[in-house]
């Protein structure tokens, strides 16, 4: 008897990790360091919260159903800023707003895939992408990355079959943190176009990319919309995680199919979150630049602290966005090491096994650190605790 859809995949990793905290007490002078989830821990800035409160109090339409594809003003603003950021034209009709970036991915897959189709995912992969493919009856085809955590387009080409419908990339990467070079992104775009499949490009963390200028030139191609499905999130940039506001940028033809999915699942994205995102895009450019500077400072603190761990055998495999991806020196699997770190070191992080296919031994040596939850001083304390551990 076939399994119900939800039974075809694993439990949500972040929720699974939180269960490791049950029954564990932390001394007041040694509190838990939670680096398990990539989410801002502070609320949005006061001015943005006020704008949302004003919308709630004075804009009656903010409490009603809105357009399925999102507020026209927000679609237009994101189109303009996307075009400016990447140096290529984007129209409002090529933009839709979703209830978070995960929903944008789910909607993209719904427009692309039928039962038994395939999507290529580089490993370590973003676990929610794998979970949605499982629940959609779509095979996630793992594309192993090398020591630099960068996927190889030639290796991807060898995995393409008549059932392949897309290649999905995340840059800056979750979980690896690495920023994909522009020529690598271009090579995957060209590969997808040659084979008549889609390139899904999730750039949730683009606002914290360390590079200046466009991170790639895909939007400068006059026919970008025939191949590219671009995903974005307002959650990290404006601390709107609880309001679930994401986006997809692609062809008008595809968005006509996306509208069917979104109307059925949620009818429309939440109105207040959209008003907050719109106000943020129009008013918080300087504030967001400061947020980026702070994340880059925390990233630098990771780099500065790594030499303390190197003699014990720790290695930094990837760093960027919100993440440090590390190789640990212990004989045991990360699947048992990560829960043990809660009790022995007061650190909650995710094991690499949560980002790799079952049976892939590489994940057993890896840990993901979501460092955006810590300031530079907190990162120092994290490394103090890691340095106390002794490989056995």
């Amino acid at each position: 008897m076939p399994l119900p859809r939800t039974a075809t995949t694993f439990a949500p990793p972040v929720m699974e990790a939180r269960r490791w905290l049950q029954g564990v007490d932390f001394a007041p002078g040694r509190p838990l360091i939670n680096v398990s989830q990539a989410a801002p821990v502070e609320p949005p800035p006061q001015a943005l919260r006020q704008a949302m409160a004003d919308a709630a109090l004075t804009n009656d339409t903010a409490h009603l159903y809105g357009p399925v594809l999102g507020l026209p003003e927000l679609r237009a603003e994101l189109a303009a800023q996307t075009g400016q950021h990447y140096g290529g034209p984007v129209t409002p009709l090529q933009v839709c707003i979703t209830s978070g970036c995960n929903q944008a991915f789910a909607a993209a897959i719904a427009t692309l895939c039928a039962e038994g189709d395939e999507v290529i995912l580089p490993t370590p992969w973003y676990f929610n992408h794998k979970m949605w493919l499982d629940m959609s009856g779509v095979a996630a085809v793992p594309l192993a990355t090398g020591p630099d955590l960068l996927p190889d387009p030639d290796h991807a080409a060898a995995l393409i079959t008549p059932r392949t419908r897309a290649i999905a990339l995340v840059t800056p990467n979750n979980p690896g943190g690495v920023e994909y070079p522009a020529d690598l992104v271009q090579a995957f775009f060209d590969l997808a176009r040659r084979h008549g499949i889609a390139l899904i490009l999730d750039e949730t963390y683009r606002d914290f990319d360390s590079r200046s200028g466009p991170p790639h030139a895909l939007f400068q191609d006059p026919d970008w919309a025939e191949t590219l499905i671009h995903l974005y999130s307002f959650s990290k940039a404006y601390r709107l995680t609880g309001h679930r506001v994401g986006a997809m940028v692609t062809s008008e033809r595809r968005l006509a199919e996306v509208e069917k999915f979104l109307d059925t699942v949620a009818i429309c994205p939440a109105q207040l979150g959209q008003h907050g995102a719109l106000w943020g895009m129009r008013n918080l450019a300087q504030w967001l630049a400061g947020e980026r500077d702070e994340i880059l400072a925390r990233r630098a603190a990771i780099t500065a602290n790594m030499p303390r761990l190197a003699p014990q055998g720790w290695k930094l495999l990837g760093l960027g966005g919100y993440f440090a991806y590390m190789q640990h020196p212990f004989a045991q699997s990360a699947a048992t090491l990560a829960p043990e770190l809660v009790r022995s070191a007061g650190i909650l992080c995710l094991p690499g096994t949560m980002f790799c296919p079952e049976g892939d031994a590489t994940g057993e040596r890896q840990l993901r650190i979501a460092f955006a939850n810590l300031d530079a001083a907190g990162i120092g304390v994290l490394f103090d605790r890691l340095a106390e551990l002794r490989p056995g």
Side-chain angles (χ1 to χ4, degrees), residues 59-71:
N59 187 341
D60 291 347
T61 64
H63 304 281
L64 308 177
Y65 287 140
V68 174
L69 295 181
L71 291 176

Side-chain angles (χ1 to χ4, degrees), residues 366-388:
Q366 299 166 350
L367 298 170
R368 190 191 76 171
I369 305 295
F371 67 83
N373 299 344
L374 304 175
D375 59 15
I379 288 169
V381 175
L382 170 68
F383 275 78
D384 288 342
R385 296 192 191 180
L386 293 176
E388 294 171 357

Side-chain angles (χ1 to χ4, degrees), residues 4-19:
R5 289 301 194 189
T6 56
T8 62
T9 197
F10 42 84
V14 171
M15 297 299 102
E16 179 68 20
R18 287 184 184 177
R19 285 189 273 272

Side-chain angles (χ1 to χ4, degrees), residues 77-114:
E77 188 67 31
L78 182 57
Q81 292 201 22
T82 300
Q84 182 180 26
H85 186 76
Y86 294 97
V90 178
T91 73
L93 294 178
Q94 294 171 318
V95 174
C96 78
I97 307 303
T98 59
S99 300
C101 194
N102 275 0
Q103 190 187 70
F105 179 82
I109 295 303
T111 71
L112 289 166
C113 298

Side-chain angles (χ1 to χ4, degrees), residues 14-73:
V14 171
M15 297 299 102
E16 179 68 20
R18 287 184 184 177
R19 285 189 273 272
W20 302 339
L21 301 175
Q22 295 174 3
V24 182
D25 296 319
F26 302 97
R30 193 178 170 89
L32 174 71
I33 296 177
N34 188 345
V35 286
S36 64
Q37 187 174 24
V41 295
E42 299 293 332
Q46 183 65 31
L48 189 151
R49 296 163 73 183
Q50 185 63 56
M52 294 175 69
D54 290 344
L57 290 171
T58 64
N59 187 341
D60 291 347
T61 64
H63 304 281
L64 308 177
Y65 287 140
V68 174
L69 295 181
L71 291 176
E73 301 93 334

